[in-house]
Amino acid sequence: MKKAFIGVHLRRLREERGLTQLALSKALELSPSYVNQLEKNQRPLTVPILLKINAVFGVDVQMFSEDEEARLIADLRDVLTEPPIDEKIAITEIREIAANMPAVGRAIVGLHRRYRASIERSDALAQRFGLTAEEGGAPLQLMPYEQVRDFFYSRHNYIHELDSAAEKLFMRAGLQVGDVATGLKEYLRKKHSVRVFVEASAEIPTTQRRYDRNAGTLQLSSALNPGQQAFEMATLLAYLEHSDALDDLANEAAAGSDETYRLARIGLAHHFAGALLMPYKPFLDAAERMRYDIERLEQRFGVGFETVCHRLSTLQRPDTRGVPFFFVRVDRAGNISKRQSATDFHFSRVGGTCPLWNVYEAFSVPGRIVTQLARMPDGRTYLWIARTVSRAIGGYGTPAKTFAIGLGCDLSHAHRLVYAKGLDLKTPDAAVPIGVGCKVCERPNCAQRAFPPIGRRTVVDESERRFNPYPVE
């Protein structure tokens, strides 16, 4: 374990609980001088002390993790490279904020997100109504889907209340791994008097699930495979048995917005459904045993590639964590329709994504997994796995949906994955240098750059032409 110093975090924890150093030392069964040295960063955090803090105060140990600090650093870098900030802020200063004033750093990031959302929404409205920048109108709030996304991000993509409830229901209903659909159908009939039937129609289906409360029926589309049918049944069970928990969590995410509340309930019900089809401990045990081989996990649990990848990104139960993954789904145009991060990988909010990222390469080899060691501008390296998924609900000539699914983790966890086989994990130059998006990427010599970096002056010289289309001073 790399040495970690927690002085600010420990002082904040003590002050929030109104304790003196002497009282804290007694609670942790440490000497007052030792606690004083911890708070002054003269001694590093050890695992026994971390466990003692968790046992005594019941705090999430994530607040002391290096990944959490790296996550905040990435967010602050995004914020502090945007105009109207004219002064270049060194990465050492950003690290200082993240390490010693994390609450201030999170407040800065939160304010910036609201500011950025207001600008984007007002610009969109100005374009729609043909207004000038000066006539753009009042700032708007985050869009509902953005609020929901940020809620899951703040929870590290793990909702303990729903995950543990799903695991208990799996055992109580006597469900079988790999064939959950059969057990759920019987459970719905016996427990809730709901009859499940598959729609048999010559028409192209327009809905995947339709629940009629009065008739006590759940109609599923014939276009769904057994795993997808099980997911829809599990989603209904979330609404039937855990509506109060969904309400509490959705209200937390909504911040007073009815649309956000309703979207959050759906997202939370889907989280419960994934946890029911792939209960935490059996799924984590299988993932570790199979070295996170996604295709083998598909076969074991009877679900699709995207569903497995999404579930892998949620394995962050405090006492039994899996590999902290980040999950992303993109289309051919580069639009990110889903993104979830259990750890520190940074998805830019202001500049798109990097064309050198292997999630785009996946479209050139449909259905085949491609791997990539990718190094970010801050020097951190990640292992990325990507593959396309396609789905059509109609017959010949009906458009299909095609996405690239990406799953990534920090290099420190790469040896645990079967996909690291044959890759050089020890040579830094083996990694492809990528960025979080051209507008905020600091790499000066990237021939693939689509935009000049924000806040840097572009060199315009008629006498020469460089491979980098936007050289900067």
Side-chain angles (χ1 to χ4, degrees), residues 373-392:
L373 289 177
R375 188 173 68 254
M376 300 299 289
D378 63 1
R380 299 193 69 166
T381 302
Y382 302 87
L383 171 60
W384 274 98
I385 306 138
R387 200 197 84 179
T388 57
V389 294
S390 295
R391 184 177 170 199

Side-chain angles (χ1 to χ4, degrees), residues 83-380:
I85 299 172
D86 298 323
E87 185 174 354
K88 184 173 176 60
I89 300 175
I91 185 62
T92 53
E93 295 179 84
I94 294 175
R95 290 184 189 279
E96 192 72 16
I97 294 173
N100 295 320
M101 293 178 284
V104 174
R106 288 191 292 271
I108 292 171
V109 171
L111 288 169
H112 175 265
R113 287 177 180 169
R114 289 192 287 274
Y115 159 77
R116 169 52 53 187
S118 298
I119 295 297
E120 290 176 352
R121 300 293 84 75
S122 61
D123 284 349
L125 284 176
Q127 290 179 17
R128 180 182 300 176
F129 296 108
L131 302 176
T132 65
E134 291 76 12
E135 299 168 328
L140 302 178
Q141 300 297 315
L142 281 174
M143 292 182 70
Y145 83 91
E146 293 171 320
Q147 288 181 290
V148 174
R149 182 190 62 201
D150 286 353
F151 170 76
F152 278 94
Y153 182 83
S154 70
R155 290 286 194 113
H156 297 275
N157 207 25
Y158 173 73
I159 311 296
H160 182 72
E161 302 93 317
L162 299 179
D163 218 290
S164 58
E167 196 169 20
K168 291 174 184 175
L169 176 57
F170 187 93
M171 299 299 296
R172 188 169 68 251
L175 303 178
Q176 297 296 315
V177 166
D179 184 25
V180 178
T182 301
L184 285 181
K185 188 173 183 179
E186 185 65 12
Y187 181 82
L188 280 166
R189 185 184 67 81
K190 288 183 176 180
K191 177 76 174 179
H192 297 282
S193 300
V194 173
R195 293 178 297 108
V196 180
F197 66 94
V198 177
E199 174 188 38
S201 173
E203 301 296 325
I204 296 175
T206 57
T207 58
Q208 299 181 70
R209 163 178 50 89
R210 180 178 288 112
Y211 172 56
D212 188 329
R213 184 185 302 272
N214 294 328
T217 59
L218 175 64
Q219 177 182 303
L220 301 176
S221 169
S222 58
L224 302 179
N225 61 40
Q228 292 166 333
Q229 292 175 7
F231 187 90
E232 297 301 336
M233 286 186 270
T235 300
L236 176 60
L237 274 172
Y239 295 128
L240 292 176
E241 298 196 356
H242 300 284
S243 185
D244 289 344
L246 295 181
D247 284 344
D248 292 342
L249 291 162
N251 279 318
E252 182 183 336
S257 165
D258 180 65
E259 186 177 353
T260 303
Y261 164 82
R262 287 183 279 114
L263 281 175
R265 269 181 60 92
I266 293 172
L268 291 162
H270 287 171
H271 184 95
F272 176 89
L276 185 57
L277 270 59
M278 294 161 282
Y280 197 99
K281 190 175 187 307
F283 186 75
L284 178 58
D285 289 346
E288 291 282 354
R289 188 172 62 253
M290 297 175 182
R291 296 191 62 202
Y292 291 86
D293 189 321
I294 299 168
E295 290 168 313
R296 290 183 65 192
L297 289 168
E298 283 186 77
Q299 297 164 8
R300 178 76 179 96
F301 289 88
V303 293
F305 186 88
E306 180 179 346
T307 306
V308 169
C309 288
H310 192 277
R311 181 57 170 151
L312 286 173
S313 75
T314 68
L315 301 179
Q316 292 301 294
R317 185 172 290 178
D319 54 344
T320 49
R321 296 183 190 274
V323 169
F325 283 110
F326 3 88
F327 167 89
V328 64
R329 187 180 76 179
V330 304
D331 63 21
R332 292 179 184 273
N335 301 304
I336 299 179
S337 53
K338 286 185 181 179
R339 62 182 185 194
Q340 298 291 348
S341 178
T343 178
D344 64 289
F345 188 81
H346 181 55
F347 298 107
S348 175
R349 295 167 182 266
V350 299
T353 55
C354 181
L356 301 178
W357 197 11
N358 73 329
V359 290
Y360 301 111
E361 180 189 351
F363 287 109
S364 65
V365 283
R368 197 177 94 191
I369 290 178
V370 294
T371 60
Q372 180 187 51
L373 289 177
R375 188 173 68 254
M376 300 299 289
D378 63 1
R380 299 193 69 166

Side-chain angles (χ1 to χ4, degrees), residues 2-166:
K2 178 182 172 183
K3 285 186 178 180
F5 295 90
I6 60 163
V8 170
H9 300 289
L10 194 58
R11 283 199 303 275
R12 181 183 176 192
L13 178 66
R14 177 169 61 79
E15 290 169 2
E16 285 176 348
R17 284 160 174 74
L19 299 174
T20 63
Q21 276 193 355
L22 180 60
L24 179 62
S25 64
K26 289 180 179 178
L28 297 179
E29 299 178 347
L30 300 171
S31 70
S33 61
Y34 194 96
V35 169
N36 183 266
Q37 290 173 327
L38 283 172
E39 289 196 358
K40 292 182 177 180
N41 286 335
Q42 293 173 353
R43 280 184 179 268
L45 174 70
T46 63
V47 172
I49 293 175
L50 179 62
L51 296 176
K52 175 66 76 172
I53 291 172
N54 177 252
V56 172
F57 296 105
V59 299
D60 185 356
V61 296
Q62 189 74 32
M63 71 178 287
F64 299 108
S65 82
E66 296 170 11
D67 278 348
E68 186 69 11
E69 184 176 309
R71 200 182 203 209
L72 181 55
I73 289 170
D75 283 339
L76 285 169
R77 282 165 64 93
D78 198 0
V79 170
L80 298 174
T81 52
E82 266 203 273
I85 299 172
D86 298 323
E87 185 174 354
K88 184 173 176 60
I89 300 175
I91 185 62
T92 53
E93 295 179 84
I94 294 175
R95 290 184 189 279
E96 192 72 16
I97 294 173
N100 295 320
M101 293 178 284
V104 174
R106 288 191 292 271
I108 292 171
V109 171
L111 288 169
H112 175 265
R113 287 177 180 169
R114 289 192 287 274
Y115 159 77
R116 169 52 53 187
S118 298
I119 295 297
E120 290 176 352
R121 300 293 84 75
S122 61
D123 284 349
L125 284 176
Q127 290 179 17
R128 180 182 300 176
F129 296 108
L131 302 176
T132 65
E134 291 76 12
E135 299 168 328
L140 302 178
Q141 300 297 315
L142 281 174
M143 292 182 70
Y145 83 91
E146 293 171 320
Q147 288 181 290
V148 174
R149 182 190 62 201
D150 286 353
F151 170 76
F152 278 94
Y153 182 83
S154 70
R155 290 286 194 113
H156 297 275
N157 207 25
Y158 173 73
I159 311 296
H160 182 72
E161 302 93 317
L162 299 179
D163 218 290
S164 58

